[in-house]
Amino acid sequence: MSEQKVVIVTGASSGIGRAIALAFGREGHQVIVNYLSNANEAKEVVEEIAASGGQGHAVQADVSSFEASKNLVEETLKVFGRVDVLINNSGIAKDQLMLRMKEEDFDAVIDVNLKGTWNMVKHVTRPMLKQKSGRIINISSVVGQIGNPGQANYVASKAGVIGMTKTFAKEFGKKGITANAIAPGFIKTAMTDKLDDSIKEAYLRQIPLGTFGKAQDIANTALFLASDSARYISGQVIGVNGGMI
């Protein structure tokens, strides 16, 4: 990006969110590091951003809450005065085969992954509309495009994110706001490291490039979509999946 931007990254204390927050920090931007419960990890991200030449500020908020999301945006405006980029990364998974999936597990995943994305977009659009500029980047998933056994709740949430992204692009485009989704494939994180080797090998056989992705691969894509180079890209789903689909 050619100029300093104010960037909100939800779920930024670990995994993909952390990589995204640090990437924007290294580019010299002002980053809101949202976290749910791990204040120490969020503090470390803020410190790393400062050390790399950016500015960071940690804000605790549960994005599944409409009011908490509103407070997160208001805190951003209070600290940095504007919001240029929103990256909806917060997400949870509660996997189980359909016949065994509990209603509360379905609801919890939808509340964070889908409703949380809507909550955040709802609250950032007003300041973005006033600015007549903004970038909305939603993290979806390859399974939101192809489905996956045992993940009816997660797949529904990520497919919904894609649908909302395309709608946001149509609603806000005339005001200079773009909306795009990134659909990661199998990305190596602490969460995926816990999977059995047999499961990881099965996934690996589906990836033409023959290797798992890194969180930095998603961060690089987010940087591009937030940059001036992506000014004419909106309503798109960018797959970062090694050729899985």
Side-chain angles (χ1 to χ4, degrees):
M1 281 165 285
S2 58
E3 60 184 53
Q4 188 182 65
K5 302 284 181 70
V6 176
V7 185
I8 297 175
V9 185
T10 67
S13 63
S14 62
I16 290 173
R18 180 189 182 100
I20 292 172
L22 292 175
F24 277 90
R26 285 193 295 271
E27 295 289 323
H29 300 294
Q30 297 172 318
V31 185
I32 292 292
V33 179
N34 163 248
Y35 68 98
L36 177 61
S37 57
N38 200 322
N40 288 333
E41 286 189 357
K43 181 182 177 183
E44 289 175 2
V45 176
V46 169
E47 290 172 350
E48 285 191 47
I49 289 172
S52 66
Q55 289 179 270
H57 181 75
V59 181
Q60 192 281 333
D62 178 355
V63 298
S64 70
S65 162
F66 187 81
E67 284 302 314
S69 298
K70 180 180 179 181
N71 292 338
L72 171 55
V73 174
E74 289 178 346
E75 178 73 4
T76 302
L77 296 174
K78 179 181 176 182
V79 173
F80 290 133
R82 60 186 288 130
V83 54
D84 301 296
V85 182
L86 167 65
I87 300 174
N88 280 307
N89 168 77
S90 286
I92 62 170
K94 292 181 179 290
D95 298 348
Q96 187 57 268
L97 292 173
M98 184 62 185
L99 290 176
R100 299 173 185 167
M101 186 175 288
K102 297 177 181 178
E103 181 184 9
E104 55 263 36
D105 289 343
F106 182 88
D107 290 346
V109 171
I110 295 296
D111 284 348
V112 174
N113 300 7
L114 186 59
K115 178 71 185 313
T117 297
W118 183 87
N119 284 340
M120 290 301 301
V121 172
K122 175 72 173 178
H123 295 304
V124 300
T125 46
R126 195 169 298 278
M128 284 185 175
L129 287 169
K130 288 181 179 179
Q131 297 164 191
K132 295 184 178 180
S133 67
R135 301 292 171 88
I136 297 168
I137 302 169
N138 299 323
I139 306 301
S140 180
S141 170
V142 66
V143 302
Q145 299 171 294
I146 63 175
N148 201 36
Q151 289 193 307
N153 48 4
Y154 188 80
V155 168
S157 71
K158 293 302 187 178
V161 164
I162 289 173
M164 285 201 305
T165 300
K166 292 178 177 293
T167 299
F168 298 149
K170 292 180 182 294
E171 287 192 14
F172 306 135
K174 289 183 179 180
K175 294 295 186 179
I177 300 169
T178 67
N180 293 288
I182 300 173
F186 194 108
I187 305 300
K188 186 175 172 59
T189 64
M191 184 170 68
T192 58
D193 285 342
K194 297 176 183 177
L195 295 174
D196 291 338
D197 288 341
S198 60
I199 295 176
K200 287 190 275 191
E201 289 169 6
Y203 275 116
L204 200 57
R205 287 194 292 271
Q206 300 176 47
I207 303 172
L209 285 183
T211 185
F212 296 135
K214 299 177 181 180
Q216 189 61 43
D217 295 321
I218 309 305
N220 292 341
T221 308
L223 280 173
F224 169 70
L225 288 174
S227 74
D228 295 340
S229 297
R231 69 168 196 90
Y232 202 58
I233 298 174
S234 194
Q236 304 305 305
V237 183
I238 311 297
V240 186
N241 58 43
M244 280 181 71
I245 64 169

